[in-house]
Amino acid sequence: MNTNDFFALMRSFILNILLLFGTVLVYQVARFTSNQKGLLKNLIIGLFVGLIGVLIMTFPFQFEAGLIFDARSVLYLIAGYFFGPIVTFVSAVTGIAYRIFVVGGGGVYAGVATIAVSSLLGMGWHLVEKYIPSSWPYFFKFYLMGFVGHILVVLCQFLILPSSNVLPAIRMIAIPFLVFFPIATAIVALSLENNRMRLLAQQTILQQKLLLQTSVDSAQTIEVYSLDRNYRYLTFNKYHSD
């Protein structure tokens, strides 16, 4: 790889990573939660996430005609983990359709496999993280998800690309995919996790305000109390206490 190719690679990766933060904006504006209901809303969010994937694939580093690499693997890991199956499915179908029918080329199967593997691992990572020590900081948990995901993405290139292309391609993507992209996954995921915690905190505050107001406004001869799932008191009025 000459100097111009290296700088072109770095420029594309930096632009891809900046586009990844579009998921944080979508998550924040949509006030998305993991148990989000409403099929239409999920479909719309899925299309927006898919559009981010299309934009990422619009600015790739091209190894040769049709053989391109970009940060879509980070996007679909994040989508699978934070946005749930409907949003992930819609965004993955959007990305796969763009990769097949618009980009095409010799690496199309590897490109489709990258999207599929990343999406599935992102959705299934909740099962894996049960075995990760709870004392680990979120950053390291998300870094591990990114590292495992990109090992699988690199293996996809071995299994799908023509044998004459696979070793040069692996040498070119090894450092970005196994060093930079896991870090990018952790940073973007941590931003989304902070947004998720903030939304949950806001919901808790609103619920507590409602319970408090109900307790204050209730008639003096009506018992008002609230319990959590472990039958511990959240609030109660004086009449119930008496």
Side-chain angles (χ1 to χ4, degrees):
M1 180 189 299
N2 58 39
T3 303
N4 290 335
D5 287 341
F6 176 79
F7 282 115
L9 177 65
M10 290 299 102
R11 185 169 57 249
S12 296
F13 283 157
I14 291 171
L15 181 58
N16 278 195
I17 290 171
L18 291 175
L19 287 169
L20 287 170
F21 281 95
T23 57
V24 180
L25 180 62
V26 171
Y27 198 91
Q28 189 168 13
V29 170
R31 299 180 64 83
F32 192 87
T33 57
S34 58
N35 60 347
Q36 185 75 63
K37 294 181 180 179
L39 180 60
L40 180 60
K41 185 173 182 179
N42 280 284
L43 292 175
I44 293 173
I45 295 173
L47 289 174
F48 273 106
V49 175
L51 177 61
I52 294 172
V54 168
L55 290 174
I56 287 173
M57 285 185 276
T58 305
F59 299 98
F61 177 77
Q62 184 164 305
F63 178 63
E64 63 180 40
L67 189 55
I68 62 176
F69 299 103
D70 47 56
R72 87 193 76 150
S73 49
V74 178
L75 173 71
Y76 289 106
L77 278 170
I78 296 296
Y81 185 87
F82 285 98
F83 287 94
I86 296 177
V87 173
T88 304
F89 177 78
V90 173
S91 61
V93 168
T94 303
I96 288 172
Y98 180 82
R99 184 63 184 88
I100 294 174
F101 299 109
V102 178
V103 179
V108 65
Y109 297 113
V112 170
T114 294
I115 294 173
V117 167
S118 301
S119 299
L120 292 172
L121 180 64
M123 288 189 290
W125 191 255
H126 293 284
L127 302 176
V128 176
E129 68 180 2
K130 293 179 181 178
Y131 301 97
I132 299 175
S134 58
S135 59
W136 280 28
Y138 279 111
F139 182 88
F140 291 112
K141 293 179 182 180
F142 293 136
Y143 176 85
L144 182 61
M145 179 178 73
F147 187 74
V148 172
H150 287 94
I151 287 178
L152 296 177
V153 169
V154 171
L155 290 176
C156 287
Q157 318 309 312
F158 273 108
L159 296 174
I160 299 173
L161 288 176
S163 57
S164 59
N165 291 340
V166 66
L167 289 179
I170 294 300
R171 282 197 296 267
M172 178 172 289
I173 68 174
I175 292 178
F177 273 58
L178 299 181
V179 178
F180 297 141
F181 281 1
I183 294 175
T185 303
I187 292 173
V188 178
L190 191 59
S191 299
L192 283 163
E193 180 65 18
N194 289 336
N195 272 277
R196 187 183 73 85
M197 296 302 292
R198 179 182 58 80
L199 289 173
L200 290 176
Q202 289 178 349
Q203 291 174 359
T204 301
I205 291 172
L206 289 174
Q207 290 170 356
Q208 290 175 344
K209 284 182 177 179
L210 179 61
L211 289 171
L212 179 60
Q213 190 64 43
T214 302
S215 179
V216 170
D217 294 341
S218 62
Q220 296 301 312
T221 58
I222 297 178
E223 293 185 67
V224 176
Y225 59 94
S226 175
L227 309 175
D228 65 15
R229 293 182 179 179
N230 295 316
Y231 301 101
R232 294 175 298 198
Y233 278 102
L234 296 174
T235 188
F236 54 85
N237 65 356
K238 186 176 184 303
Y239 188 74
H240 177 73
S241 176
D242 294 340

